[in-house]
Amino acid sequence: MPHERGPHDWVLHVDLDEFLAAVEVRRRPELRGRPVIVGGDGEPTARAVVAAASYAAREHGVRSGMPLRTAARRCPDAVFLPSDRPAYEAASDEVMATIRRFGVVEVLGWDEAFVAATTAEPEARAAEIQRAVRAATGLVCSVGIGDNRIRAKVATGFAKPGGVYRLTAETWMDVMGDRPPDQLWGVGTKTSRKLAEMGITTVRALAAADRDRLARRFGPSMGPWYRVLALGLGGTTVSAAPHRARSRSREVTFPRDLTGREALDGHLVELVRRVAGDVAGEGRPAVRVAVKVRFAPFFTQTRSVALAAPTGDLAALEAAARAALDRFELTRPVRLLGVRADLAPPAEPEEREAGSPSAAPPAEP
């Protein structure tokens, strides 16, 4: 969409920069500018992973999901802090309340949301949001501007840190065409590797790929979806309806590696019990149960089992989890065990725009 003078409907994607670390620095101003790493109980020798890292820590190669011990080796001068969920939730609520003054807001998570905007100057509106968020909370956000949700979300990556970037149908392929597919929203490194095996190494190539060939490789739903993402297509509706979780999960990292099925069974049952409680709290039954196992030193696999019928019954969830665990070859020590229940969709799902993808891409298979 060109820079025309008249007002147009835009989607703004507001994304808070280094959110968890920024919340910690907000209450500890003396840490400003220092590398800050949030995760576990804040002890770098603990068997936990990085939940978030400040930009100063990322300059040393620290990334989310990295073992804290690895992060400590890469950035020995970092300040390690425990995760504080209530503090992050409270800060997120402050931000969302602030940006709701600017239009309909669809919350995507603690640190990001879509905002609907009808304006001739979307960059000016984005700057207003940034100033309001900083004034109200002391936090910094980046804003992606798009003529649909997908482009707004991707644009934010070019806006960081603390900037504004517009991406539209006219500019999409010029900006994204020669980039690797994993820079698309919803295409991870595993899928990108599989695409490379097919000779598809750029967004432009994926956009031109044969739908049937993609369907054969990734399935009838996911294959064509990746091509849609590469074309930058997507819906434009921003909904203020409350976020509905797609799944609920629990996991545990063991202080010492466990070996053998018997050592895992008790932990599996406890995780299923906690997940069943979460499922009951959502008010929707589960349709699939997945088990995640992280082997030493840091190799992760997931196996899942579809339920015969949607249910929240503890015995049924436990049986499915045990069946999923049966699919692993437990020949190596285990450092982490997780259980996830995929939930049935809401009884009245939000309408999709004809021919457009849903609010967020499905998880990578």
Side-chain angles (χ1 to χ4, degrees), residues 338-361:
V339 174
R340 186 189 78 238
D342 294 337
L343 302 173
E348 296 181 4
E350 297 179 10
E351 294 183 2
R352 297 184 182 183
E353 297 187 21
S356 71
S358 61

Side-chain angles (χ1 to χ4, degrees), residues 114-350:
F114 285 124
V115 181
T118 300
T119 175
E121 298 292 341
E123 282 81 5
R125 180 69 55 84
E128 290 177 17
I129 291 174
Q130 290 176 315
R131 289 193 294 270
V133 169
R134 182 184 281 272
T137 70
L139 300 173
V140 175
C141 63
S142 301
V143 182
I145 301 169
D147 48 6
N148 64 28
R149 300 162 63 94
I150 295 294
R151 294 186 185 116
K153 171 72 174 179
V154 174
T156 314
F158 297 100
K160 285 184 171 291
V164 175
Y165 193 88
R166 185 196 292 206
L167 196 53
T168 67
E170 286 193 344
T171 61
W172 172 261
M173 203 55 72
D174 288 340
V175 173
M176 296 297 298
D178 296 329
R179 297 178 183 274
D182 61 8
Q183 292 196 20
L184 295 169
W185 184 23
V187 179
T189 54
K190 291 181 181 179
T191 297
S192 192
R193 284 198 297 267
K194 293 175 183 177
L195 288 168
E197 292 170 359
M198 300 172 63
I200 300 172
T201 59
T202 65
V203 170
R204 193 185 312 277
L206 179 55
D210 181 73
R211 289 171 54 92
D212 293 337
R213 185 181 178 216
L214 291 172
R216 287 193 298 271
R217 181 65 180 86
F218 297 103
S221 176
M222 293 303 301
W225 172 272
Y226 292 138
R227 183 173 179 271
V228 167
L229 291 178
L231 290 166
L233 303 179
T236 59
T237 301
V238 175
S239 171
H243 172 72
R244 302 298 299 272
R246 294 185 176 188
S247 63
R248 295 305 301 262
S249 62
R250 298 279 186 161
E251 61 184 40
V252 58
T253 299
F254 304 118
R256 296 180 181 177
D257 295 340
L258 300 185
T259 303
R261 176 63 182 264
E262 291 183 2
L264 296 175
D265 277 342
H267 296 284
L268 183 76
V269 171
E270 174 59 20
L271 289 170
V272 172
R273 184 190 66 78
R274 295 168 66 188
V275 167
D278 295 337
V279 170
E282 286 290 335
R284 287 182 288 152
V287 295
R288 177 178 291 272
V289 174
V291 172
K292 177 171 74 173
V293 175
R294 179 165 294 151
F295 297 98
F298 212 74
F299 175 67
T300 305
Q301 290 183 322
T302 302
R303 301 287 184 267
S304 65
V305 171
L307 295 164
T311 182
D313 179 69
L314 176 60
L317 298 180
E318 181 179 327
R322 289 183 182 276
L325 189 58
D326 287 341
R327 298 183 178 183
F328 290 90
E329 293 184 9
L330 301 174
T331 57
R332 289 183 289 179
V334 174
R335 62 177 292 153
L336 177 147
L337 181 68
V339 174
R340 186 189 78 238
D342 294 337
L343 302 173
E348 296 181 4
E350 297 179 10

